[in-house]
Amino acid sequence: MHPDLEVVCVPADESFTAWSHGYPYRTVRWHFHPEYEIQLITDTSGKYFVGDYIGDFEPGNLVMSGPNLPHNWVSELPDNQPVPQRCLILQFTAEFMAKAIAAFPELQPVTTLLAESRSGLLFTPEAGAAALPLMQALLEARGCRRVMLFLSLLELLLHDSERRKLSSPSYLPDPHSYMASKINLALAYIGKNLSTDLRESELAELIGQNVSSFSRSFSKHTGISFVQYVNLLRIKLSCEMLSNSALSITDICYQVGFNNLSNFNRQFLAHKGISPSKFRRYDGLKTAAPGT
């Protein structure tokens, strides 16, 4: 079965994205993306799949996967109770790392880590424990501290001499084949055109399906409807822009693809539980210096 494409949104004014999610969650499925990923499990245990590798995971499981390498972690929850935070995730593009290494020759050793990650890399429990505070801090860090934490994490991974590759040498990801999947074409189109007026009928036409067939297929692969998926991506991007730019809320509303401010405010409230203005105010308080 072809893996599904995960659309990773790295804001233009950031080098990488750092986030967390619980379980169940929409990205918990057999999937791939062009970005490098570092994932640390903080809760639950179960089975994980990286390329052609299958193993058991538990909290402290730290894995780095290279571009387009399919992967999935499936938690075993005896009571089927949702978990608020299952993992911490950091994602960045090959282009970003190439530019960073070109600018700073001291980063040249990282190329070894990047090359090895194309097979998936499992790090030691000790490395997982050391990575935990760094990745937790990255969720809220801003400015230079964010870059320092990122470099500290790379240094930690690079110096784990007992890291090991997961998938076999003969396993080669085939993103061109994956993208032959009609739903992946639709997901890629959404990611590239998030700020435009996306219509389900147009996406259905793009992949040669009627609207009802597309709707069923889309929900099956993503776990949510087309409209819910698009709104979720737009709200996630708006949160990053509210935290990291001085743009007005109105400007952000239109830049992420909403066609009016009242709908943006309504959707933001539904997803985050607070208004965009309160989110920005609380985020500023969270990162304010002591005594301010």
Side-chain angles (χ1 to χ4, degrees):
M1 184 178 76
H2 282 324
D4 289 340
L5 172 68
E6 177 188 334
V7 178
V8 175
C9 297
V10 179
D13 59 349
E14 290 187 1
S15 304
F16 56 87
T17 182
W19 57 295
S20 67
H21 69 71
Y23 188 88
Y25 191 70
R26 63 179 179 84
T27 60
V28 180
R29 63 188 191 278
W30 184 235
H31 71 281
F32 76 104
H33 43 73
E35 295 77 14
Y36 289 93
E37 177 176 292
I38 300 168
Q39 175 168 261
L40 175 64
I41 298 294
T42 57
D43 198 359
T44 77
S45 59
K47 293 284 186 184
Y48 72 114
F49 310 82
V50 178
D52 60 358
Y53 174 85
I54 302 175
D56 298 304
F57 73 86
E58 61 184 9
N61 174 262
L62 178 62
V63 170
M64 182 176 180
S65 54
N68 299 312
L69 181 64
H71 51 276
N72 191 22
W73 277 250
V74 181
S75 295
E76 298 169 355
L77 299 176
D79 301 324
N80 293 319
Q81 293 294 318
V83 175
Q85 185 195 81
R86 187 186 73 162
C87 56
L88 300 165
I89 297 173
L90 190 148
Q91 294 164 319
F92 54 92
T93 66
E95 291 77 13
F96 155 64
M97 282 308 307
K99 290 177 181 178
I101 292 169
F104 297 98
E106 294 88 348
L107 292 178
Q108 189 62 38
V110 176
T111 57
T112 300
L113 192 69
L114 299 177
E116 292 177 358
S117 74
R118 292 183 177 271
S119 296
L121 282 176
L122 174 65
F123 298 89
T124 61
E126 292 76 17
L132 179 60
L134 297 175
M135 295 186 72
Q136 285 179 325
L138 273 168
L139 295 179
E140 300 182 356
R142 299 287 182 267
C144 293
R145 174 163 170 74
R146 197 169 186 267
V147 178
M148 290 169 60
L149 288 167
F150 175 73
L151 294 176
S152 295
L153 180 61
L154 288 183
E155 183 178 37
L156 170 67
L157 302 185
L158 190 60
H159 287 91
D160 184 357
S161 60
E162 296 182 37
R163 65 183 185 268
R164 64 183 181 89
K165 295 181 181 179
L166 294 175
S167 62
S168 62
S170 61
Y171 185 88
L172 296 175
D174 186 4
H176 294 294
S177 174
Y178 305 158
M179 289 307 297
S181 163
K182 291 183 177 181
I183 196 67
N184 283 340
L185 287 174
L187 293 172
Y189 184 88
I190 292 170
K192 291 178 180 177
N193 298 278
L194 196 60
S195 62
T196 67
D197 183 20
L198 292 166
R199 296 179 182 274
E200 191 169 21
S201 58
E202 293 175 356
L203 269 292
E205 183 178 355
L206 175 70
I207 64 173
Q209 292 182 340
N210 60 48
V211 175
S212 60
S213 295
F214 174 78
S215 181
R216 287 194 301 271
S217 178
F218 194 93
S219 296
K220 178 182 177 181
H221 281 81
T222 65
I224 52 179
S225 72
F226 169 79
V227 172
Q228 289 172 323
Y229 180 85
V230 170
N231 283 339
L232 189 150
L233 288 184
R234 287 173 171 168
I235 294 300
K236 181 180 178 182
L237 181 58
S238 71
C239 287
E240 293 165 348
M241 295 178 73
L242 286 165
S243 296
N244 300 302
S245 79
L247 289 173
S248 71
I249 291 173
T250 300
D251 287 341
I252 290 172
C253 161
Y254 290 109
Q255 285 202 19
V256 300
F258 287 99
N259 55 17
N260 66 76
L261 188 58
S262 61
N263 185 37
F264 173 56
N265 287 328
R266 184 168 59 253
Q267 292 297 333
F268 197 99
L269 181 63
H271 282 81
K272 308 303 294 186
I274 56 175
S275 67
S277 58
K278 282 188 177 180
F279 179 91
R280 171 171 270 175
R281 186 160 63 249
Y282 291 164
D283 189 76
L285 290 172
K286 178 177 64 182
T287 57
T292 61

